[in-house]
Short mmCIF file of all heavy atoms in Angstrom, two decimals:
data_model
loop_
_atom_site.label_atom_id
_atom_site.label_comp_id
_atom_site.label_asym_id
_atom_site.label_seq_id
_atom_site.Cartn_x
_atom_site.Cartn_y
_atom_site.Cartn_z
N MET A 9 152.37 -26.63 139.84
CA MET A 9 151.30 -25.67 140.20
C MET A 9 150.09 -26.43 140.72
O MET A 9 149.61 -27.38 140.13
CB MET A 9 150.88 -24.86 138.96
CG MET A 9 151.87 -23.77 138.58
SD MET A 9 151.75 -22.34 139.63
CE MET A 9 150.40 -21.47 138.84
N THR A 10 149.63 -25.96 141.83
CA THR A 10 148.40 -26.54 142.38
C THR A 10 147.19 -25.78 141.83
O THR A 10 147.28 -24.57 141.65
CB THR A 10 148.40 -26.46 143.91
OG1 THR A 10 148.71 -25.15 144.30
CG2 THR A 10 149.40 -27.41 144.49
N PRO A 11 146.10 -26.48 141.56
CA PRO A 11 144.93 -25.81 140.97
C PRO A 11 144.15 -24.99 141.99
O PRO A 11 143.08 -25.38 142.45
CB PRO A 11 144.11 -26.99 140.45
CG PRO A 11 144.49 -28.13 141.32
CD PRO A 11 145.92 -27.91 141.70
N LEU A 12 144.72 -23.89 142.33
CA LEU A 12 144.07 -23.01 143.31
C LEU A 12 143.93 -21.61 142.72
O LEU A 12 144.75 -21.21 141.90
CB LEU A 12 144.91 -22.92 144.58
CG LEU A 12 144.84 -24.10 145.55
CD1 LEU A 12 145.86 -23.91 146.65
CD2 LEU A 12 143.44 -24.21 146.13
N PRO A 13 142.92 -20.87 143.13
CA PRO A 13 142.79 -19.49 142.66
C PRO A 13 144.00 -18.67 143.07
O PRO A 13 144.51 -18.81 144.18
CB PRO A 13 141.53 -18.99 143.35
CG PRO A 13 140.80 -20.20 143.79
CD PRO A 13 141.84 -21.24 144.05
N LYS A 14 144.43 -17.83 142.16
CA LYS A 14 145.64 -17.04 142.43
C LYS A 14 145.36 -15.97 143.48
O LYS A 14 146.22 -15.67 144.31
CB LYS A 14 146.11 -16.39 141.14
CG LYS A 14 147.49 -15.78 141.23
CD LYS A 14 148.02 -15.51 139.83
CE LYS A 14 149.50 -15.12 139.91
NZ LYS A 14 150.07 -15.03 138.56
N ARG A 15 144.17 -15.39 143.40
CA ARG A 15 143.82 -14.31 144.32
C ARG A 15 142.46 -14.55 144.95
O ARG A 15 141.61 -15.19 144.36
CB ARG A 15 143.75 -12.97 143.57
CG ARG A 15 145.07 -12.53 143.04
CD ARG A 15 144.99 -11.14 142.45
NE ARG A 15 146.22 -10.86 141.72
CZ ARG A 15 147.40 -10.62 142.30
NH1 ARG A 15 147.50 -10.61 143.62
NH2 ARG A 15 148.46 -10.39 141.57
N LYS A 16 142.31 -13.99 146.12
CA LYS A 16 141.00 -13.98 146.76
C LYS A 16 140.03 -13.17 145.90
O LYS A 16 140.39 -12.08 145.43
CB LYS A 16 141.13 -13.33 148.13
CG LYS A 16 139.83 -13.21 148.89
CD LYS A 16 140.09 -12.76 150.31
CE LYS A 16 138.78 -12.60 151.06
NZ LYS A 16 139.02 -12.47 152.51
N VAL A 17 138.82 -13.71 145.69
CA VAL A 17 137.80 -12.96 144.96
C VAL A 17 137.24 -11.91 145.91
O VAL A 17 136.80 -12.22 147.01
CB VAL A 17 136.69 -13.92 144.47
CG1 VAL A 17 135.55 -13.14 143.84
CG2 VAL A 17 137.24 -14.91 143.47
N SER A 18 137.27 -10.66 145.46
CA SER A 18 136.83 -9.57 146.33
C SER A 18 135.32 -9.65 146.57
O SER A 18 134.59 -10.27 145.79
CB SER A 18 137.18 -8.23 145.71
OG SER A 18 136.38 -8.01 144.55
N LYS A 19 134.88 -9.02 147.65
CA LYS A 19 133.44 -9.01 147.94
C LYS A 19 132.65 -8.41 146.80
O LYS A 19 131.56 -8.88 146.46
CB LYS A 19 133.18 -8.19 149.21
CG LYS A 19 133.68 -8.84 150.47
CD LYS A 19 133.54 -7.88 151.65
CE LYS A 19 134.35 -8.37 152.84
NZ LYS A 19 134.41 -7.35 153.91
N GLY A 20 133.20 -7.36 146.20
CA GLY A 20 132.50 -6.70 145.09
C GLY A 20 132.36 -7.62 143.90
O GLY A 20 131.28 -7.73 143.31
N ARG A 21 133.43 -8.33 143.53
CA ARG A 21 133.36 -9.24 142.38
C ARG A 21 132.43 -10.40 142.69
O ARG A 21 131.62 -10.80 141.84
CB ARG A 21 134.76 -9.74 142.05
CG ARG A 21 134.80 -10.50 140.73
CD ARG A 21 136.20 -11.00 140.42
NE ARG A 21 136.19 -11.73 139.17
CZ ARG A 21 136.39 -11.16 137.98
NH1 ARG A 21 136.63 -9.87 137.88
NH2 ARG A 21 136.34 -11.89 136.89
N ARG A 22 132.54 -10.96 143.88
CA ARG A 22 131.66 -12.06 144.29
C ARG A 22 130.20 -11.63 144.24
O ARG A 22 129.34 -12.33 143.71
CB ARG A 22 132.03 -12.49 145.73
CG ARG A 22 131.19 -13.61 146.29
CD ARG A 22 131.26 -13.63 147.81
NE ARG A 22 130.66 -12.40 148.36
CZ ARG A 22 130.85 -11.97 149.61
NH1 ARG A 22 131.64 -12.64 150.42
NH2 ARG A 22 130.28 -10.87 150.04
N ASN A 23 129.92 -10.44 144.78
CA ASN A 23 128.54 -9.97 144.80
C ASN A 23 128.01 -9.68 143.40
O ASN A 23 126.84 -9.94 143.12
CB ASN A 23 128.42 -8.72 145.68
CG ASN A 23 128.68 -9.03 147.14
OD1 ASN A 23 128.70 -10.19 147.55
ND2 ASN A 23 128.87 -7.99 147.95
N ARG A 24 128.88 -9.16 142.53
CA ARG A 24 128.45 -8.91 141.15
C ARG A 24 128.13 -10.23 140.44
O ARG A 24 127.18 -10.34 139.68
CB ARG A 24 129.52 -8.14 140.37
CG ARG A 24 129.25 -6.65 140.31
CD ARG A 24 130.36 -5.90 139.61
NE ARG A 24 131.45 -5.66 140.56
CZ ARG A 24 132.73 -5.78 140.26
NH1 ARG A 24 133.11 -6.13 139.05
NH2 ARG A 24 133.65 -5.55 141.17
N ARG A 25 128.94 -11.26 140.70
CA ARG A 25 128.66 -12.58 140.12
C ARG A 25 127.30 -13.08 140.60
O ARG A 25 126.51 -13.63 139.83
CB ARG A 25 129.77 -13.56 140.52
CG ARG A 25 129.58 -14.97 139.94
CD ARG A 25 130.78 -15.86 140.22
NE ARG A 25 130.93 -16.15 141.63
CZ ARG A 25 132.05 -15.94 142.33
NH1 ARG A 25 133.11 -15.42 141.75
NH2 ARG A 25 132.10 -16.24 143.60
N ARG A 26 127.01 -12.87 141.88
CA ARG A 26 125.75 -13.39 142.44
C ARG A 26 124.55 -12.51 142.14
O ARG A 26 123.43 -12.87 142.53
CB ARG A 26 125.91 -13.55 143.96
CG ARG A 26 126.92 -14.65 144.29
CD ARG A 26 127.14 -14.81 145.78
NE ARG A 26 128.21 -15.77 146.03
CZ ARG A 26 128.68 -16.05 147.24
NH1 ARG A 26 128.17 -15.47 148.30
NH2 ARG A 26 129.64 -16.92 147.38
N ALA A 27 124.81 -11.38 141.48
CA ALA A 27 123.69 -10.49 141.15
C ALA A 27 122.68 -11.20 140.24
O ALA A 27 121.51 -10.83 140.19
CB ALA A 27 124.20 -9.22 140.47
N HIS A 28 123.11 -12.25 139.51
CA HIS A 28 122.22 -12.96 138.58
C HIS A 28 121.55 -14.15 139.23
O HIS A 28 120.82 -14.88 138.56
CB HIS A 28 123.04 -13.45 137.37
CG HIS A 28 123.72 -12.35 136.63
ND1 HIS A 28 123.06 -11.55 135.71
CD2 HIS A 28 124.99 -11.89 136.68
CE1 HIS A 28 123.91 -10.67 135.23
NE2 HIS A 28 125.08 -10.85 135.80
N HIS A 29 121.80 -14.39 140.52
CA HIS A 29 121.31 -15.62 141.15
C HIS A 29 119.90 -15.53 141.70
O HIS A 29 119.38 -16.52 142.20
CB HIS A 29 122.27 -16.05 142.28
CG HIS A 29 123.59 -16.53 141.78
ND1 HIS A 29 124.54 -17.07 142.61
CD2 HIS A 29 124.12 -16.55 140.55
CE1 HIS A 29 125.61 -17.39 141.90
NE2 HIS A 29 125.38 -17.10 140.64
N GLY A 30 119.30 -14.35 141.65
CA GLY A 30 117.97 -14.20 142.24
C GLY A 30 116.92 -14.98 141.48
O GLY A 30 117.09 -15.29 140.31
N LEU A 31 115.83 -15.31 142.14
CA LEU A 31 114.73 -16.03 141.51
C LEU A 31 113.83 -15.06 140.78
O LEU A 31 113.50 -14.00 141.29
CB LEU A 31 113.92 -16.79 142.57
CG LEU A 31 114.68 -17.83 143.38
CD1 LEU A 31 113.75 -18.45 144.40
CD2 LEU A 31 115.27 -18.88 142.48
N GLY A 32 113.44 -15.43 139.58
CA GLY A 32 112.56 -14.59 138.79
C GLY A 32 111.11 -14.87 139.10
O GLY A 32 110.80 -15.73 139.94
N PRO A 33 110.21 -14.16 138.44
CA PRO A 33 108.79 -14.41 138.64
C PRO A 33 108.40 -15.79 138.10
O PRO A 33 108.97 -16.26 137.12
CB PRO A 33 108.11 -13.29 137.86
CG PRO A 33 109.13 -12.83 136.88
CD PRO A 33 110.47 -13.07 137.50
N VAL A 34 107.45 -16.42 138.75
CA VAL A 34 106.99 -17.75 138.34
C VAL A 34 106.17 -17.62 137.06
O VAL A 34 105.29 -16.77 136.96
CB VAL A 34 106.13 -18.37 139.47
CG1 VAL A 34 105.55 -19.69 139.01
CG2 VAL A 34 106.99 -18.57 140.70
N HIS A 35 106.48 -18.44 136.06
CA HIS A 35 105.75 -18.41 134.80
C HIS A 35 104.39 -19.10 134.98
O HIS A 35 104.32 -20.14 135.63
CB HIS A 35 106.56 -19.11 133.72
CG HIS A 35 105.99 -18.92 132.36
ND1 HIS A 35 105.91 -17.68 131.75
CD2 HIS A 35 105.46 -19.80 131.49
CE1 HIS A 35 105.37 -17.83 130.57
NE2 HIS A 35 105.09 -19.10 130.37
N LEU A 36 103.36 -18.50 134.42
CA LEU A 36 102.02 -19.07 134.56
C LEU A 36 101.35 -19.16 133.20
O LEU A 36 101.51 -18.27 132.36
CB LEU A 36 101.17 -18.18 135.49
CG LEU A 36 101.59 -18.13 136.95
CD1 LEU A 36 100.76 -17.10 137.70
CD2 LEU A 36 101.44 -19.50 137.60
N VAL A 37 100.62 -20.24 132.99
CA VAL A 37 99.80 -20.38 131.79
C VAL A 37 98.37 -20.64 132.24
O VAL A 37 98.11 -21.03 133.38
CB VAL A 37 100.28 -21.54 130.88
CG1 VAL A 37 101.67 -21.24 130.33
CG2 VAL A 37 100.25 -22.85 131.61
N GLU A 38 97.42 -20.45 131.32
CA GLU A 38 96.02 -20.62 131.66
C GLU A 38 95.60 -22.06 131.42
O GLU A 38 95.89 -22.63 130.37
CB GLU A 38 95.18 -19.68 130.80
CG GLU A 38 93.75 -19.56 131.25
CD GLU A 38 92.98 -18.58 130.39
OE1 GLU A 38 93.05 -17.37 130.68
OE2 GLU A 38 92.34 -19.00 129.42
N CYS A 39 94.93 -22.65 132.39
CA CYS A 39 94.38 -23.99 132.22
C CYS A 39 93.32 -23.96 131.12
O CYS A 39 92.45 -23.11 131.14
CB CYS A 39 93.75 -24.46 133.53
SG CYS A 39 92.84 -26.01 133.37
N PRO A 40 93.39 -24.87 130.12
CA PRO A 40 92.42 -24.81 129.02
C PRO A 40 91.00 -25.17 129.45
O PRO A 40 90.06 -24.88 128.72
CB PRO A 40 92.96 -25.85 128.02
CG PRO A 40 93.82 -26.74 128.83
CD PRO A 40 94.40 -25.90 129.93
N ARG A 41 90.84 -25.80 130.60
CA ARG A 41 89.49 -26.19 131.01
C ARG A 41 88.86 -25.20 132.00
O ARG A 41 87.75 -24.75 131.81
CB ARG A 41 89.48 -27.59 131.60
CG ARG A 41 88.06 -28.13 131.74
CD ARG A 41 88.01 -29.61 131.95
NE ARG A 41 88.49 -29.97 133.28
CZ ARG A 41 88.49 -31.22 133.72
NH1 ARG A 41 88.06 -32.21 132.96
NH2 ARG A 41 88.94 -31.48 134.91
N CYS A 42 89.58 -24.87 133.08
CA CYS A 42 88.96 -23.98 134.07
C CYS A 42 89.46 -22.54 133.94
O CYS A 42 88.95 -21.66 134.60
CB CYS A 42 89.20 -24.50 135.49
SG CYS A 42 90.91 -24.35 136.05
N HIS A 43 90.45 -22.31 133.06
CA HIS A 43 90.94 -20.97 132.73
C HIS A 43 91.53 -20.23 133.91
O HIS A 43 91.57 -19.01 133.92
CB HIS A 43 89.82 -20.12 132.07
CG HIS A 43 89.29 -20.80 130.84
ND1 HIS A 43 90.02 -20.91 129.67
CD2 HIS A 43 88.12 -21.44 130.61
CE1 HIS A 43 89.29 -21.57 128.78
NE2 HIS A 43 88.15 -21.92 129.33
N ARG A 44 91.99 -20.97 134.91
CA ARG A 44 92.74 -20.34 135.98
C ARG A 44 94.23 -20.52 135.70
O ARG A 44 94.62 -21.41 134.94
CB ARG A 44 92.35 -20.94 137.34
CG ARG A 44 91.06 -20.31 137.88
CD ARG A 44 90.64 -20.94 139.19
NE ARG A 44 90.01 -22.24 138.96
CZ ARG A 44 89.22 -22.85 139.84
NH1 ARG A 44 88.95 -22.28 141.00
NH2 ARG A 44 88.70 -24.03 139.59
N LYS A 45 95.04 -19.68 136.33
CA LYS A 45 96.47 -19.72 136.06
C LYS A 45 97.13 -20.87 136.81
O LYS A 45 96.88 -21.09 137.99
CB LYS A 45 97.11 -18.39 136.50
CG LYS A 45 96.64 -17.19 135.71
CD LYS A 45 97.12 -17.25 134.28
CE LYS A 45 96.67 -16.00 133.53
NZ LYS A 45 97.09 -16.06 132.12
N ARG A 46 97.97 -21.61 136.10
CA ARG A 46 98.74 -22.67 136.72
C ARG A 46 100.14 -22.63 136.12
O ARG A 46 100.38 -21.99 135.11
CB ARG A 46 98.09 -24.02 136.48
CG ARG A 46 98.00 -24.39 135.00
CD ARG A 46 97.66 -25.85 134.80
NE ARG A 46 97.44 -26.14 133.39
CZ ARG A 46 98.42 -26.35 132.50
NH1 ARG A 46 99.68 -26.25 132.88
NH2 ARG A 46 98.15 -26.64 131.25
N ARG A 47 101.08 -23.37 136.72
CA ARG A 47 102.43 -23.43 136.17
C ARG A 47 102.45 -24.39 135.00
O ARG A 47 101.70 -25.38 134.99
CB ARG A 47 103.41 -23.87 137.27
CG ARG A 47 103.46 -22.86 138.40
CD ARG A 47 104.52 -23.21 139.40
NE ARG A 47 105.85 -23.01 138.82
CZ ARG A 47 106.98 -23.01 139.52
NH1 ARG A 47 106.93 -23.19 140.83
NH2 ARG A 47 108.13 -22.83 138.96
N PRO A 48 103.28 -24.13 133.98
CA PRO A 48 103.30 -24.99 132.80
C PRO A 48 103.82 -26.40 133.11
O PRO A 48 104.62 -26.59 134.02
CB PRO A 48 104.25 -24.26 131.83
CG PRO A 48 105.06 -23.35 132.68
CD PRO A 48 104.21 -22.98 133.85
N HIS A 49 103.37 -27.37 132.32
CA HIS A 49 103.79 -28.78 132.44
C HIS A 49 103.40 -29.37 133.78
O HIS A 49 104.10 -30.24 134.31
CB HIS A 49 105.30 -28.95 132.20
CG HIS A 49 105.81 -28.17 131.02
ND1 HIS A 49 105.47 -28.51 129.73
CD2 HIS A 49 106.58 -27.07 130.93
CE1 HIS A 49 106.04 -27.64 128.90
NE2 HIS A 49 106.71 -26.75 129.60
N THR A 50 102.30 -28.90 134.36
CA THR A 50 101.82 -29.45 135.62
C THR A 50 100.35 -29.80 135.48
O THR A 50 99.65 -29.25 134.64
CB THR A 50 101.94 -28.44 136.77
OG1 THR A 50 101.15 -27.30 136.45
CG2 THR A 50 103.38 -28.03 137.01
N VAL A 51 99.89 -30.74 136.30
CA VAL A 51 98.47 -30.99 136.43
C VAL A 51 97.83 -29.76 137.06
O VAL A 51 98.38 -29.19 138.02
CB VAL A 51 98.23 -32.23 137.32
CG1 VAL A 51 96.74 -32.46 137.53
CG2 VAL A 51 98.86 -33.46 136.69
N CYS A 52 96.71 -29.32 136.52
CA CYS A 52 96.04 -28.14 137.07
C CYS A 52 95.64 -28.41 138.52
O CYS A 52 94.94 -29.38 138.79
CB CYS A 52 94.80 -27.82 136.24
SG CYS A 52 93.85 -26.45 136.93
N PRO A 53 96.08 -27.60 139.48
CA PRO A 53 95.75 -27.85 140.89
C PRO A 53 94.30 -27.51 141.23
O PRO A 53 93.84 -27.87 142.31
CB PRO A 53 96.72 -26.93 141.65
CG PRO A 53 97.01 -25.83 140.69
CD PRO A 53 96.95 -26.43 139.32
N TYR A 54 93.58 -26.85 140.33
CA TYR A 54 92.21 -26.43 140.61
C TYR A 54 91.20 -27.44 140.09
O TYR A 54 90.22 -27.72 140.75
CB TYR A 54 91.95 -25.06 139.99
CG TYR A 54 92.97 -24.03 140.39
CD1 TYR A 54 93.96 -23.61 139.51
CD2 TYR A 54 92.95 -23.51 141.70
CE1 TYR A 54 94.90 -22.67 139.90
CE2 TYR A 54 93.90 -22.58 142.09
CZ TYR A 54 94.86 -22.17 141.19
OH TYR A 54 95.81 -21.26 141.58
N CYS A 55 91.43 -27.98 138.88
CA CYS A 55 90.45 -28.92 138.35
C CYS A 55 91.07 -30.30 138.07
O CYS A 55 90.37 -31.21 137.67
CB CYS A 55 89.81 -28.35 137.07
SG CYS A 55 90.92 -28.21 135.67
N GLY A 56 92.38 -30.46 138.27
CA GLY A 56 93.01 -31.77 138.13
C GLY A 56 93.18 -32.23 136.70
O GLY A 56 93.36 -33.41 136.44
N TYR A 57 93.17 -31.29 135.74
CA TYR A 57 93.20 -31.63 134.33
C TYR A 57 94.61 -31.52 133.77
O TYR A 57 95.34 -30.59 134.10
CB TYR A 57 92.26 -30.65 133.60
CG TYR A 57 92.18 -30.83 132.10
CD1 TYR A 57 91.34 -31.80 131.55
CD2 TYR A 57 92.91 -30.00 131.25
CE1 TYR A 57 91.25 -31.94 130.18
CE2 TYR A 57 92.82 -30.15 129.88
CZ TYR A 57 91.99 -31.12 129.35
OH TYR A 57 91.90 -31.25 127.99
N TYR A 58 95.01 -32.48 132.95
CA TYR A 58 96.28 -32.36 132.22
C TYR A 58 96.26 -33.21 130.97
O TYR A 58 95.93 -34.40 131.03
CB TYR A 58 97.46 -32.77 133.13
CG TYR A 58 98.80 -32.47 132.49
CD1 TYR A 58 99.22 -31.16 132.30
CD2 TYR A 58 99.63 -33.50 132.07
CE1 TYR A 58 100.44 -30.87 131.71
CE2 TYR A 58 100.86 -33.22 131.49
CZ TYR A 58 101.25 -31.90 131.30
OH TYR A 58 102.46 -31.63 130.71
N LYS A 59 96.62 -32.64 129.82
CA LYS A 59 96.77 -33.33 128.54
C LYS A 59 95.55 -34.21 128.21
O LYS A 59 95.69 -35.39 127.91
CB LYS A 59 98.04 -34.19 128.52
CG LYS A 59 99.32 -33.39 128.66
CD LYS A 59 99.91 -33.01 127.32
CE LYS A 59 101.07 -32.06 127.56
NZ LYS A 59 101.85 -31.79 126.39
N GLY A 60 94.37 -33.66 128.33
CA GLY A 60 93.19 -34.36 127.87
C GLY A 60 92.55 -35.31 128.86
O GLY A 60 91.59 -35.98 128.50
N GLU A 61 93.08 -35.41 130.07
CA GLU A 61 92.38 -36.26 131.03
C GLU A 61 92.48 -35.73 132.45
O GLU A 61 93.34 -34.91 132.77
CB GLU A 61 92.90 -37.71 130.96
CG GLU A 61 94.40 -37.86 131.03
CD GLU A 61 94.79 -39.32 130.92
OE1 GLU A 61 94.11 -40.19 131.48
OE2 GLU A 61 95.81 -39.60 130.26
N ASP A 62 91.57 -36.24 133.28
CA ASP A 62 91.58 -35.88 134.69
C ASP A 62 92.64 -36.71 135.40
O ASP A 62 92.60 -37.94 135.37
CB ASP A 62 90.21 -36.17 135.32
CG ASP A 62 89.19 -35.12 134.91
OD1 ASP A 62 89.45 -33.94 135.16
OD2 ASP A 62 88.16 -35.50 134.34
N ILE A 63 93.59 -36.04 136.01
CA ILE A 63 94.65 -36.74 136.73
C ILE A 63 94.30 -36.84 138.22
O ILE A 63 94.49 -37.86 138.85
CB ILE A 63 96.00 -36.02 136.56
CG1 ILE A 63 96.28 -35.72 135.09
CG2 ILE A 63 97.12 -36.84 137.17
CD1 ILE A 63 96.52 -36.93 134.22
N LEU A 64 93.79 -35.72 138.74
CA LEU A 64 93.47 -35.67 140.17
C LEU A 64 91.96 -35.57 140.35
O LEU A 64 91.27 -34.99 139.50
CB LEU A 64 94.13 -34.43 140.81
CG LEU A 64 95.66 -34.33 140.75
CD1 LEU A 64 96.07 -32.93 141.20
CD2 LEU A 64 96.28 -35.37 141.64
N LEU A 65 91.48 -36.11 141.43
CA LEU A 65 90.09 -35.93 141.77
C LEU A 65 89.97 -34.71 142.69
O LEU A 65 90.50 -34.72 143.79
CB LEU A 65 89.52 -37.18 142.47
CG LEU A 65 89.30 -38.38 141.54
CD1 LEU A 65 88.90 -39.62 142.35
CD2 LEU A 65 88.19 -38.08 140.52
N ILE A 66 89.30 -33.69 142.19
CA ILE A 66 89.13 -32.45 142.94
C ILE A 66 87.67 -32.37 143.39
O ILE A 66 86.76 -32.55 142.59
CB ILE A 66 89.46 -31.23 142.08
CG1 ILE A 66 90.84 -31.35 141.44
CG2 ILE A 66 89.35 -29.94 142.91
CD1 ILE A 66 92.01 -31.19 142.36
N GLU A 67 87.48 -32.11 144.68
CA GLU A 67 86.12 -31.90 145.18
C GLU A 67 85.73 -30.45 144.92
O GLU A 67 86.39 -29.55 145.38
CB GLU A 67 86.05 -32.22 146.67
CG GLU A 67 86.23 -33.70 146.96
CD GLU A 67 86.41 -33.96 148.45
OE1 GLU A 67 85.74 -33.30 149.25
OE2 GLU A 67 87.25 -34.82 148.79
N GLU A 68 84.68 -30.28 144.16
CA GLU A 68 84.25 -28.93 143.79
C GLU A 68 83.53 -28.24 144.93
O GLU A 68 82.69 -28.85 145.62
CB GLU A 68 83.31 -28.99 142.58
CG GLU A 68 84.04 -29.26 141.26
CD GLU A 68 84.90 -28.06 140.81
OE1 GLU A 68 84.51 -26.92 141.03
OE2 GLU A 68 85.98 -28.33 140.25
N GLU A 69 83.89 -26.98 145.15
CA GLU A 69 83.17 -26.15 146.12
C GLU A 69 82.58 -24.97 145.38
O GLU A 69 83.10 -24.54 144.37
CB GLU A 69 84.13 -25.66 147.23
CG GLU A 69 84.50 -26.79 148.18
CD GLU A 69 85.49 -26.30 149.25
OE1 GLU A 69 85.24 -25.25 149.84
OE2 GLU A 69 86.51 -26.98 149.43
N GLU A 70 81.49 -24.45 145.88
CA GLU A 70 80.71 -23.34 145.30
C GLU A 70 79.97 -23.79 144.05
O GLU A 70 80.54 -24.26 143.10
CB GLU A 70 81.61 -22.13 144.96
CG GLU A 70 82.17 -21.48 146.22
CD GLU A 70 83.31 -20.50 145.90
OE1 GLU A 70 83.03 -19.52 145.18
OE2 GLU A 70 84.42 -20.74 146.35
ZN1 ZN B 127 92.04 -26.31 135.50
#
């Protein structure tokens, strides 16, 4: 026996399998310093803060 699928997967079955493949909403947490929303486990893109120190130098406007 060769390791091949016995039958063609129908369009309906294939599409039902892929029904779970869509991208969900992006999770956001609040930056503890500037209180804007950022993605978790990332340096804050607005103030450059992460885990107690400034990682990026951000030029402040306004
Ligand atoms: Zn921030």
Side-chain angles (χ1 to χ4, degrees):
M9 284 283 276
T10 50
L12 282 173
K14 192 164 190 173
R15 294 187 191 288
K16 178 171 178 167
V17 174
S18 69
K19 291 173 194 171
R21 190 180 179 90
R22 179 201 64 197
N23 293 347
R24 262 177 278 139
R25 181 173 67 234
R26 293 178 186 176
H28 302 279
H29 290 186
L31 300 178
V34 175
H35 189 64
L36 293 173
V37 295
E38 191 178 276
C39 173
R41 193 164 71 177
C42 70
H43 303 289
R44 278 178 282 199
K45 295 292 183 182
R46 62 167 174 80
R47 297 186 70 168
H49 315 291
T50 61
V51 177
C52 176
Y54 307 105
C55 68
Y57 179 83
Y58 188 68
K59 297 267 172 170
E61 50 181 321
D62 284 303
I63 311 293
L64 300 170
L65 287 173
I66 307 288
E67 292 170 39
E68 285 290 324
E69 287 178 48
E70 293 167 62

